[in-house]
Amino acid sequence: MNCIFCEILNGNIPCNKVFENDNFIAILDAFPANEGHTLIIPKKHFENIFEIDGEILKEGYFIAQKIANSIKKSFGIENINILQNNGALAGQTVNHFHIHIVPRKENDNVIIKSTPVSIDNEKIKNIIDSIKSNM
Ligand code: AMP
Ligand code: ZN
């Protein structure tokens, strides 16, 4: 399998590691959106949110909180985005599940924006029914 994060985990590609335990590593993003942009990566290859084991997912977000707190202390930063992309249309470029921690600063270059779409009440009802019944 041709996976850059598996190659990092195997030690074949260097990385800037900030955290490691039995199930995860956290590394600095090689093309950071801001100083301290960190990726939390499970050691086991799961492609995305649909595939990852629930217990591992929980641990990943627990680690995200730990690292967010550490970044807050380290950089005196109060604003952080936690992002996680699934699928090419959602911006996923590395198909090995990972959580982004993006520290935010005033007037930085990070843009996370959308404009609202309008959805009529009938459609909203269908959306609710559909999500509930497929859970
Ligand atoms: P995503 O677009 O959500 O799949 O995020 C993939 C992230 O991995 C991007 O922010 C890239 O900058 C980052 N990335 C790609 N290659 C490397 C690498 N060798 N080491 C660290 N980060 C990387
Ligand atoms: Zn992988």
Side-chain angles (χ1 to χ4, degrees):
M1 185 196 321
N2 188 7
C3 171
I4 198 152
F5 289 170
C6 283
E7 292 296 310
I8 286 173
L9 284 157
N10 292 335
N12 296 331
I13 293 179
C15 70
N16 293 311
K17 199 185 292 177
V18 296
F19 172 87
E20 178 163 17
N21 73 4
D22 286 351
N23 295 322
F24 282 88
I25 58 167
I27 65 173
L28 297 182
D29 198 292
F31 307 94
N34 251 336
E35 269 177 47
H37 181 174
T38 301
L39 303 173
I40 298 166
I41 304 170
K43 288 187 173 174
K44 191 169 170 198
H45 181 99
F46 301 99
E47 193 157 323
N48 52 37
I49 191 77
F50 307 114
E51 295 197 347
I52 190 167
D53 172 84
E55 288 302 314
I56 296 286
L57 181 68
K58 266 200 233 174
E59 188 181 354
Y61 277 95
F62 182 75
I63 294 166
Q65 185 190 39
K66 265 168 131 33
I67 293 177
N69 273 315
S70 170
I71 285 173
K72 184 170 177 245
K73 263 202 221 162
S74 312
F75 300 95
I77 271 175
E78 299 279 348
N79 301 268
I80 289 180
N81 290 114
I82 307 288
L83 305 169
Q84 198 273 306
N85 301 325
N86 301 280
L89 292 182
Q92 186 173 15
T93 58
V94 177
N95 293 327
H96 180 134
F97 179 95
H98 53 282
I99 302 167
H100 292 257
I101 301 183
V102 183
R104 299 301 304 271
K105 293 190 231 173
E106 192 117 30
N107 300 320
D108 64 18
N109 285 321
V110 183
I111 300 165
I112 301 164
K113 227 182 164 68
S114 66
T115 49
V117 292
S118 115
I119 305 172
D120 64 46
N121 287 340
E122 178 67 20
K123 192 89 179 265
I124 289 174
K125 196 183 160 303
N126 292 341
I127 292 169
I128 293 168
D129 290 347
S130 175
I131 292 176
K132 278 184 167 177
S133 64
N134 282 303
M135 201 94 79

